[in-house]
Amino acid sequence: MRHYSKPLPTPDRDTLPYWEGCRRHELLMQRCADCGTYIFPPLPMCPACTSMNREWGRVSGRGRIYSWFVVHHATHPDFVDDVPYAVVLVELDEQPGLRLPSNVVECSIEEIEIGMPVEVVFEDVTDEVTLPKFRPVRAQDGS
Ligand code: ZN
């Protein structure tokens, strides 16, 4: 496993299932066990029905770019080689408003568009941590 020195997420009790899912290359979202509303980021109470009962459900990992911006100045020394890079907000197909911040891979900044269909890919950055990224859904061209 290559060296990775960038800041990494520290899973806590609320986010551990999410990060464990990523390690298995499955995108999990917290979900209200009563009304089925997906909740991200995890909250103590369902914003739709105020239920405290939560479960985790696997989602398709497909969505669309809701918004994005380009980082030109690294705020951490280990990102200096990456700038400029894009940070995107992906709205997952499962639910309007279910949005996940991430990065786009296999795509130049010039290609990014609002509404662009994307799908999740998983990047194993260390033995313990896998990060979800998104790539454009390309037309099936056999390549
Ligand atoms: Zn609910």
Side-chain angles (χ1 to χ4, degrees):
M1 193 71 57
R2 66 200 158 84
H3 178 65
Y4 191 89
S5 58
K6 291 172 183 170
L8 288 170
T10 307
D12 60 22
R13 201 182 45 155
D14 287 333
T15 59
L16 189 60
Y18 175 81
W19 293 114
E20 286 180 342
C22 286
R23 284 183 66 183
R24 298 193 304 270
H25 291 197
E26 295 177 358
L27 190 62
L28 303 184
M29 285 282 132
Q30 197 179 71
R31 191 174 198 190
C32 174
D34 289 319
C35 76
T37 299
Y38 287 103
I39 305 164
F40 185 90
L43 294 170
M45 185 184 284
C46 172
C49 76
T50 71
S51 168
M52 306 278 278
N53 299 320
R54 287 164 297 162
E55 60 189 12
W56 288 83
R58 187 176 180 181
V59 294
S60 64
R62 290 198 166 223
R64 289 176 185 273
I65 304 284
Y66 178 79
S67 73
W68 62 287
F69 64 92
V70 176
V71 175
H72 292 280
H73 299 284
T75 53
H76 186 281
D78 290 315
F79 287 96
V80 167
D81 291 341
D82 294 343
V83 292
Y85 66 91
V87 175
V88 298
L89 200 54
V90 175
E91 182 162 288
L92 298 175
D93 284 349
E94 274 72 15
Q95 180 179 301
L98 184 65
R99 297 174 196 141
L100 188 67
S102 185
N103 301 114
V104 176
V105 296
E106 301 174 30
C107 174
S108 69
I109 289 173
E110 291 74 23
E111 290 176 276
I112 298 173
E113 289 178 4
I114 301 288
M116 185 171 85
V118 290
E119 62 187 357
V120 74
V121 289
F122 291 96
E123 196 172 307
D124 299 315
V125 295
T126 69
D127 287 342
E128 284 79 36
V129 177
T130 297
L131 298 178
K133 305 271 175 101
F134 287 83
R135 71 178 174 199
V137 178
R138 309 270 188 201
Q140 294 292 324
D141 58 7
S143 63

